[in-house]
Amino acid sequence: MKKLNIFCIAAAMTCLTLPCTAGTPEGKIAFNPEPSGNRPFGISVGLVTKQMSDGSTKIPWMMLDQIATGKMDKKSSPSFQIGFSWSPEFRYGIGLQTGIFYELSADSYKRYYIKIDEHTLSIPLRVQWRYEIIRDLSLFIYTGPSFDIGLVYNIKERGRKIDAYKHIDSDFSRFHMMWGVGAGVRWKFLQLNIGGDWGLTPLYKSESGAHLNKPFHITLSYRF
């Protein structure tokens, strides 16, 4: 009787595995089937942190508030981001991640009536892999370069305004290349990204030590 029970269990297990292997070449179980329902376009909003990095020294991209308080304890400053993304996929969840994003950074020093604001365009060009856990729920990872273009860097003081990028004594570079890594989750038409970017090109035209970093960003997007 015991042998008969063992035989029945073995036969049942064999029947259960047949549907998994019959449809694949040489009876192999397929791993990571083609993800379903890719929505390549997206509109996103998010928060980006920025910093100036020179070796082990990290200071906020916007630091007037620290100068005002005398507390140099922060290593980055927040920026607002909004943009449009495009993530086409080729096979097995492998594809590209690109788009165009507008970023706004701002700060002020009220005691001396100083305000600064920077307006930037960011264009990533990354490789992405998406794996669908269950239908409509996916995880993804990505890596690749991004390119920042500074549009305007306004410095306002008592009614006087200059663009730091255009100022004759300015040594700031308005073009920055970074390398980023990140991951995220997509559920139906909503997607959450978390990642960071680190500078590859110099922050100043005359020096090569300092870089612009974005050590952390988080974005929420609507996919369609």
Side-chain angles (χ1 to χ4, degrees):
M1 185 68 179
K2 184 177 180 181
K3 290 182 178 180
L4 181 60
N5 288 338
I6 294 174
F7 175 79
C8 292
I9 292 171
M13 292 298 295
T14 302
C15 292
L16 288 174
T17 57
L18 281 175
C20 297
T21 59
T24 57
E26 300 178 1
K28 295 181 180 179
I29 297 175
F31 174 73
N32 188 28
E34 197 79 42
S36 63
N38 181 38
R39 296 177 170 89
F41 302 103
I43 300 174
S44 67
V45 293
L47 177 72
V48 181
T49 61
K50 293 185 177 183
Q51 67 181 192
M52 290 179 276
S53 172
D54 191 350
S56 60
T57 303
K58 307 287 191 300
I59 60 176
W61 186 244
M62 296 284 161
M63 56 181 178
L64 285 182
D65 62 332
Q66 295 208 111
I67 295 174
T69 59
K71 297 180 180 180
M72 304 297 287
D73 55 346
K74 296 180 181 178
K75 295 185 180 297
S76 62
S77 57
S79 301
F80 169 76
Q81 184 191 82
I82 186 170
F84 175 81
S85 62
W86 180 48
S87 301
E89 291 181 356
F90 307 116
R91 290 295 303 274
Y92 306 114
I94 299 173
L96 296 178
Q97 185 190 100
T98 187
I100 185 165
F101 301 88
Y102 164 78
E103 294 178 0
L104 171 64
S105 307
D107 203 355
S108 63
Y109 192 172
K110 295 180 180 179
R111 181 178 178 182
Y112 292 101
Y113 304 98
I114 301 174
K115 294 182 179 180
I116 56 177
D117 55 81
E118 183 195 30
H119 306 263
T120 308
L121 287 182
S122 181
I123 304 173
L125 184 58
R126 299 165 175 148
V127 176
Q128 176 178 287
W129 178 63
R130 182 171 68 93
Y131 180 73
E132 189 172 43
I133 303 173
I134 59 175
R135 186 170 182 82
D136 293 330
L137 179 62
S138 304
L139 298 177
F140 60 90
I141 56 175
Y142 62 84
T143 186
S146 64
F147 307 89
D148 273 26
I149 305 170
L151 303 176
V152 179
Y153 196 123
N154 292 319
I155 303 176
K156 305 171 186 177
E157 181 184 8
R158 299 180 183 274
R160 191 170 67 98
K161 182 174 75 171
I162 63 169
D163 182 352
Y165 288 129
K166 296 180 180 179
H167 196 270
I168 190 170
D169 296 324
S170 176
D171 196 29
F172 264 122
S173 174
R174 69 168 70 221
F175 302 102
H176 305 283
M177 179 179 177
M178 289 166 278
W179 191 273
V181 294
V185 59
R186 181 188 299 180
W187 180 69
K188 293 187 177 180
F189 53 83
L190 293 178
Q191 179 170 296
L192 182 70
N193 289 46
I194 296 176
D197 298 272
W198 289 267
L200 300 176
T201 54
L203 181 62
Y204 301 102
K205 298 174 184 176
S206 60
E207 299 179 16
S208 59
H211 300 86
L212 166 64
N213 292 341
K214 299 178 182 178
F216 177 78
H217 69 254
I218 180 169
T219 60
L220 180 65
S221 61
Y222 175 86
R223 312 298 304 182
F224 58 93

